[in-house]
Amino acid sequence: MTSAQTSASQMPPKPPGEDLPRHVAIIMDGNNRWARARGLSGIRGHRAGVEAVRAVIRRAAERGIQTLTLFAFSSENWRRPEAEVRALMELFLIALRREVKKLHDNGIRLSVIGDRSAFSSSIQKYVVRAEELTRDNTGLHLVVAANYGGRWDIVNAARHLAERVERNELEPDAIDEHAFQHELCLGDEAPIDLCIRTSGEQRISNFLLWQMAYAELYFTPLLWPDFDGQAFDMAIDDFCRRQRRFGMTDEQIEATGA
Protein backbone atom coordinates (compact mmCIF):
# COMPACT_ATOMS: atom_id res chain seq x y z
CA MET A 1 0.00 0.00 0.00
CA THR A 2 1.41 3.36 -1.02
CA SER A 3 1.82 6.33 1.29
CA ALA A 4 -0.78 8.18 -0.76
CA GLN A 5 -3.28 5.40 -0.17
CA THR A 6 -2.50 5.33 3.52
CA SER A 7 -3.04 9.05 3.96
CA ALA A 8 -6.31 8.95 2.04
CA SER A 9 -7.74 6.08 4.05
CA GLN A 10 -6.84 7.75 7.32
CA MET A 11 -8.47 11.05 6.44
CA PRO A 12 -10.87 12.11 9.21
CA PRO A 13 -14.49 13.00 8.58
CA LYS A 14 -14.93 16.33 6.85
CA PRO A 15 -14.39 19.05 9.49
CA PRO A 16 -16.78 21.90 10.16
CA GLY A 17 -16.26 24.92 7.96
CA GLU A 18 -15.69 23.05 4.67
CA ASP A 19 -18.73 23.33 2.48
CA LEU A 20 -18.92 20.66 -0.18
CA PRO A 21 -18.92 16.99 0.80
CA ARG A 22 -15.90 15.09 -0.46
CA HIS A 23 -17.72 11.76 -0.65
CA VAL A 24 -21.41 11.34 -1.46
CA ALA A 25 -23.21 7.99 -1.32
CA ILE A 26 -26.65 7.39 -2.79
CA ILE A 27 -29.19 4.64 -2.15
CA MET A 28 -31.10 4.67 -5.43
CA ASP A 29 -34.60 3.56 -4.47
CA GLY A 30 -38.01 3.71 -6.12
CA ASN A 31 -37.61 2.39 -9.67
CA ASN A 32 -40.39 -0.19 -9.29
CA ARG A 33 -42.80 2.26 -7.66
CA TRP A 34 -42.10 4.80 -10.40
CA ALA A 35 -42.97 2.18 -13.04
CA ARG A 36 -46.10 0.93 -11.26
CA ALA A 37 -47.44 4.47 -10.96
CA ARG A 38 -47.25 4.69 -14.75
CA GLY A 39 -48.59 1.24 -15.50
CA LEU A 40 -45.19 0.08 -16.72
CA SER A 41 -43.12 -3.01 -16.03
CA GLY A 42 -40.48 -2.96 -13.33
CA ILE A 43 -37.67 -3.17 -15.86
CA ARG A 44 -38.93 0.06 -17.48
CA GLY A 45 -38.44 1.69 -14.10
CA HIS A 46 -34.87 0.42 -13.88
CA ARG A 47 -34.16 1.70 -17.39
CA ALA A 48 -35.51 5.11 -16.39
CA GLY A 49 -33.26 4.94 -13.36
CA VAL A 50 -30.23 4.71 -15.65
CA GLU A 51 -31.05 8.19 -16.96
CA ALA A 52 -31.04 9.49 -13.38
CA VAL A 53 -27.64 7.87 -12.84
CA ARG A 54 -26.24 9.73 -15.85
CA ALA A 55 -27.66 13.05 -14.64
CA VAL A 56 -26.29 12.67 -11.11
CA ILE A 57 -22.84 11.58 -12.26
CA ARG A 58 -22.69 14.60 -14.54
CA ARG A 59 -23.75 17.00 -11.79
CA ALA A 60 -21.43 15.47 -9.18
CA ALA A 61 -18.51 15.95 -11.55
CA GLU A 62 -19.58 19.54 -12.26
CA ARG A 63 -19.82 20.30 -8.54
CA GLY A 64 -16.33 18.95 -7.85
CA ILE A 65 -17.37 16.01 -5.68
CA GLN A 66 -14.35 13.74 -5.19
CA THR A 67 -16.15 10.39 -4.81
CA LEU A 68 -19.68 9.31 -5.66
CA THR A 69 -20.76 5.85 -4.47
CA LEU A 70 -24.00 4.41 -5.87
CA PHE A 71 -25.83 1.46 -4.32
CA ALA A 72 -26.81 -0.40 -7.49
CA PHE A 73 -27.53 -3.94 -6.27
CA SER A 74 -27.46 -5.19 -2.69
CA SER A 75 -26.63 -8.70 -1.54
CA GLU A 76 -30.30 -8.94 -0.51
CA ASN A 77 -31.58 -8.05 -3.99
CA TRP A 78 -31.05 -11.62 -5.18
CA ARG A 79 -34.33 -12.37 -3.38
CA ARG A 80 -36.29 -10.36 -5.94
CA PRO A 81 -38.25 -12.14 -8.69
CA GLU A 82 -35.97 -14.11 -11.00
CA ALA A 83 -37.08 -12.20 -14.10
CA GLU A 84 -36.29 -8.87 -12.47
CA VAL A 85 -32.86 -10.02 -11.32
CA ARG A 86 -32.08 -11.33 -14.79
CA ALA A 87 -33.14 -8.01 -16.34
CA LEU A 88 -31.02 -6.08 -13.84
CA MET A 89 -27.97 -8.17 -14.74
CA GLU A 90 -28.61 -7.47 -18.43
CA LEU A 91 -28.84 -3.74 -17.72
CA PHE A 92 -25.60 -3.90 -15.72
CA LEU A 93 -23.82 -5.60 -18.60
CA ILE A 94 -25.22 -3.14 -21.16
CA ALA A 95 -24.09 -0.21 -19.02
CA LEU A 96 -20.59 -1.66 -18.73
CA ARG A 97 -20.40 -2.03 -22.50
CA ARG A 98 -21.88 1.33 -23.47
CA GLU A 99 -21.18 3.81 -20.69
CA VAL A 100 -17.58 3.17 -19.67
CA LYS A 101 -16.00 4.89 -22.66
CA LYS A 102 -18.07 7.99 -21.91
CA LEU A 103 -16.85 7.93 -18.32
CA HIS A 104 -13.28 7.54 -19.52
CA ASP A 105 -13.59 10.39 -22.02
CA ASN A 106 -14.74 12.64 -19.15
CA GLY A 107 -11.85 11.68 -16.88
CA ILE A 108 -14.01 9.66 -14.47
CA ARG A 109 -12.50 6.68 -12.66
CA LEU A 110 -14.79 3.68 -12.11
CA SER A 111 -14.59 1.11 -9.33
CA VAL A 112 -17.02 -1.69 -8.52
CA ILE A 113 -17.22 -2.94 -4.93
CA GLY A 114 -18.96 -6.03 -3.60
CA ASP A 115 -18.74 -9.79 -4.03
CA ARG A 116 -18.23 -10.28 -7.77
CA SER A 117 -18.18 -14.07 -7.60
CA ALA A 118 -21.97 -14.32 -8.02
CA PHE A 119 -21.94 -12.42 -11.32
CA SER A 120 -21.60 -13.99 -14.74
CA SER A 121 -18.16 -14.31 -16.29
CA SER A 122 -19.13 -11.66 -18.86
CA ILE A 123 -19.99 -9.10 -16.18
CA GLN A 124 -16.81 -9.88 -14.25
CA LYS A 125 -14.74 -9.49 -17.43
CA TYR A 126 -16.25 -6.13 -18.32
CA VAL A 127 -15.85 -4.85 -14.74
CA VAL A 128 -12.13 -5.61 -14.88
CA ARG A 129 -11.82 -3.94 -18.28
CA ALA A 130 -13.67 -0.84 -17.06
CA GLU A 131 -11.51 -0.48 -13.97
CA GLU A 132 -8.32 -0.97 -15.96
CA LEU A 133 -9.36 1.55 -18.63
CA THR A 134 -10.25 4.30 -16.15
CA ARG A 135 -7.67 3.56 -13.44
CA ASP A 136 -5.47 6.59 -14.08
CA ASN A 137 -8.28 9.13 -14.51
CA THR A 138 -8.11 11.99 -12.04
CA GLY A 139 -11.66 13.35 -12.13
CA LEU A 140 -14.65 12.11 -10.18
CA HIS A 141 -14.21 8.65 -8.65
CA LEU A 142 -17.42 6.75 -9.37
CA VAL A 143 -17.94 3.71 -7.16
CA VAL A 144 -20.71 1.24 -7.97
CA ALA A 145 -21.73 -1.08 -5.14
CA ALA A 146 -23.02 -4.31 -6.70
CA ASN A 147 -23.80 -7.48 -4.74
CA TYR A 148 -22.64 -5.44 -1.77
CA GLY A 149 -23.69 -5.54 1.86
CA GLY A 150 -22.24 -3.60 4.77
CA ARG A 151 -22.17 -6.63 7.05
CA TRP A 152 -20.45 -8.68 4.36
CA ASP A 153 -17.84 -5.92 4.01
CA ILE A 154 -17.11 -5.88 7.75
CA VAL A 155 -16.98 -9.68 8.06
CA ASN A 156 -14.72 -9.87 5.01
CA ALA A 157 -12.35 -7.32 6.54
CA ALA A 158 -12.26 -9.23 9.83
CA ARG A 159 -11.48 -12.46 7.96
CA HIS A 160 -8.59 -10.83 6.09
CA LEU A 161 -7.10 -9.52 9.33
CA ALA A 162 -7.45 -12.96 10.95
CA GLU A 163 -5.66 -14.55 8.00
CA ARG A 164 -2.82 -12.05 8.30
CA VAL A 165 -2.48 -12.81 11.99
CA GLU A 166 -2.45 -16.54 11.23
CA ARG A 167 0.38 -16.02 8.72
CA ASN A 168 2.31 -14.04 11.36
CA GLU A 169 2.12 -10.92 9.19
CA LEU A 170 0.26 -8.92 11.82
CA GLU A 171 0.22 -8.80 15.60
CA PRO A 172 -3.27 -8.77 17.17
CA ASP A 173 -2.34 -5.67 19.17
CA ALA A 174 -1.67 -3.85 15.89
CA ILE A 175 -5.31 -4.12 14.85
CA ASP A 176 -6.94 -0.73 15.30
CA GLU A 177 -9.52 1.30 13.39
CA HIS A 178 -7.04 2.26 10.68
CA ALA A 179 -5.90 -1.33 10.12
CA PHE A 180 -9.50 -2.48 9.95
CA GLN A 181 -10.50 0.28 7.56
CA HIS A 182 -7.71 -0.66 5.15
CA GLU A 183 -9.37 -4.05 4.66
CA LEU A 184 -12.78 -2.60 3.76
CA CYS A 185 -13.95 -2.08 0.19
CA LEU A 186 -13.53 1.70 0.44
CA GLY A 187 -10.47 1.60 2.65
CA ASP A 188 -8.56 4.11 0.52
CA GLU A 189 -11.39 6.63 0.20
CA ALA A 190 -12.37 9.57 2.37
CA PRO A 191 -15.22 8.77 4.78
CA ILE A 192 -18.72 9.40 3.49
CA ASP A 193 -19.88 12.93 4.26
CA LEU A 194 -23.40 12.71 2.82
CA CYS A 195 -25.73 9.78 2.17
CA ILE A 196 -28.82 10.41 0.03
CA ARG A 197 -31.76 8.03 -0.12
CA THR A 198 -34.62 8.48 -2.54
CA SER A 199 -38.27 7.28 -2.45
CA GLY A 200 -39.08 8.44 1.08
CA GLU A 201 -37.64 5.43 2.92
CA GLN A 202 -35.61 6.42 5.97
CA ARG A 203 -33.06 3.67 6.55
CA ILE A 204 -29.61 2.75 5.24
CA SER A 205 -30.39 -0.88 4.36
CA ASN A 206 -27.02 -2.48 5.15
CA PHE A 207 -25.12 0.04 3.02
CA LEU A 208 -21.56 1.04 3.97
CA LEU A 209 -22.20 0.60 7.69
CA TRP A 210 -18.64 1.37 8.81
CA GLN A 211 -18.01 4.14 6.30
CA MET A 212 -21.14 6.13 7.25
CA ALA A 213 -20.29 6.48 10.94
CA TYR A 214 -20.38 10.29 10.72
CA ALA A 215 -22.31 10.78 7.48
CA GLU A 216 -25.12 13.29 7.22
CA LEU A 217 -28.31 11.57 6.04
CA TYR A 218 -30.64 13.14 3.50
CA PHE A 219 -34.00 11.55 2.66
CA THR A 220 -36.13 12.71 -0.24
CA PRO A 221 -39.61 11.52 -1.33
CA LEU A 222 -38.54 11.64 -4.97
CA LEU A 223 -38.43 8.26 -6.66
CA TRP A 224 -35.05 7.53 -8.18
CA PRO A 225 -35.99 8.08 -11.87
CA ASP A 226 -37.22 11.58 -10.88
CA PHE A 227 -33.98 12.45 -9.08
CA ASP A 228 -31.99 14.74 -11.36
CA GLY A 229 -29.17 17.26 -11.22
CA GLN A 230 -31.39 19.87 -9.57
CA ALA A 231 -32.44 17.39 -6.87
CA PHE A 232 -28.77 16.56 -6.31
CA ASP A 233 -28.02 20.26 -5.89
CA MET A 234 -30.77 20.52 -3.27
CA ALA A 235 -29.20 17.69 -1.28
CA ILE A 236 -25.77 19.32 -1.49
CA ASP A 237 -27.20 22.69 -0.44
CA ASP A 238 -28.94 21.07 2.53
CA PHE A 239 -25.64 19.48 3.57
CA CYS A 240 -23.85 22.82 3.36
CA ARG A 241 -26.36 24.38 5.78
CA ARG A 242 -25.79 21.75 8.45
CA GLN A 243 -23.49 22.11 11.41
CA ARG A 244 -21.40 18.99 11.87
CA ARG A 245 -20.23 18.41 15.43
CA PHE A 246 -18.12 15.22 15.51
CA GLY A 247 -18.57 15.13 19.28
CA MET A 248 -17.63 18.77 19.85
CA THR A 249 -19.56 21.42 21.76
CA ASP A 250 -21.08 24.58 20.27
CA GLU A 251 -18.24 26.58 21.78
CA GLN A 252 -15.60 24.40 20.17
CA ILE A 253 -17.30 24.61 16.79
CA GLU A 254 -17.55 28.40 17.07
CA ALA A 255 -13.85 28.53 17.88
CA THR A 256 -13.05 26.80 14.59
CA GLY A 257 -14.84 29.59 12.73
CA ALA A 258 -17.44 27.25 11.25
Side-chain angles (χ1 to χ4, degrees):
M1 183 169 294
T2 66
S3 59
Q5 289 174 322
T6 301
S7 61
S9 66
Q10 294 181 0
M11 292 170 72
K14 185 173 160 51
E18 294 184 16
D19 290 332
L20 288 176
R22 292 174 298 188
H23 189 167
V24 177
I26 304 181
I27 301 172
M28 305 179 294
D29 194 13
N31 289 342
N32 278 322
R33 275 171 280 177
W34 183 91
R36 283 199 304 270
R38 290 160 177 77
L40 303 173
S41 65
I43 190 59
R44 290 286 297 276
H46 293 302
R47 288 173 180 164
V50 172
E51 294 300 323
V53 169
R54 293 191 185 105
V56 167
I57 292 172
R58 183 166 53 248
R59 187 57 57 89
E62 292 170 351
R63 294 293 301 263
I65 303 300
Q66 294 179 23
T67 305
L68 176 67
T69 299
L70 303 178
F71 203 8
F73 190 84
S74 77
S75 51
E76 290 80 19
N77 285 155
W78 295 108
R79 303 170 186 168
R80 293 192 172 195
E82 183 179 350
E84 181 178 353
V85 171
R86 185 168 58 250
L88 283 169
M89 293 301 105
E90 291 174 359
L91 273 179
F92 190 19
L93 186 57
I94 290 171
L96 287 168
R97 286 172 172 166
R98 297 180 180 176
E99 303 292 333
V100 172
K101 187 178 184 303
K102 299 174 187 176
L103 297 176
H104 181 54
D105 290 344
N106 285 281
I108 295 172
R109 178 162 64 101
L110 174 67
S111 299
V112 177
I113 62 171
D115 182 2
R116 302 180 187 181
S117 64
F119 294 130
S120 69
S121 59
S122 293
I123 288 178
Q124 293 184 51
K125 177 181 67 176
Y126 276 97
V127 166
V128 171
R129 287 183 181 179
E131 291 180 331
E132 289 178 348
L133 176 65
T134 64
R135 177 171 290 132
D136 297 327
N137 292 343
T138 58
L140 172 72
H141 184 195
L142 173 64
V143 181
V144 176
N147 196 24
Y148 175 87
R151 291 177 177 176
W152 167 85
D153 197 2
I154 291 171
V155 169
N156 206 41
R159 183 182 299 114
H160 288 167
L161 288 171
E163 290 169 350
R164 291 180 61 193
V165 170
E166 188 176 33
R167 294 193 300 265
N168 294 318
E169 297 175 359
L170 182 69
E171 292 294 328
D173 289 345
I175 299 175
D176 57 12
E177 288 187 15
H178 293 313
F180 195 91
Q181 183 171 315
H182 282 310
E183 301 295 337
L184 294 168
C185 285
L186 291 177
D188 298 332
E189 293 299 319
I192 294 169
D193 292 313
L194 172 64
C195 177
I196 301 167
R197 179 163 187 155
T198 60
S199 85
E201 304 292 346
Q202 298 188 17
R203 55 182 179 272
I204 58 176
S205 296
N206 195 25
F207 184 42
L208 299 169
L209 299 177
W210 175 284
Q211 297 88 339
M212 286 205 288
Y214 283 98
E216 296 294 318
L217 305 179
Y218 179 88
F219 302 108
T220 172
L222 287 175
L223 302 176
W224 176 247
D226 294 325
F227 193 87
D228 55 13
Q230 184 178 5
F232 184 80
D233 283 340
M234 290 178 63
I236 298 300
D237 292 345
D238 181 86
F239 172 88
C240 293
R241 289 192 295 268
R242 298 189 187 187
Q243 185 181 74
R244 306 183 75 195
R245 296 179 179 276
F246 303 113
M248 293 188 293
T249 65
D250 290 339
E251 290 76 13
Q252 290 173 307
I253 293 174
E254 289 173 3
T256 67

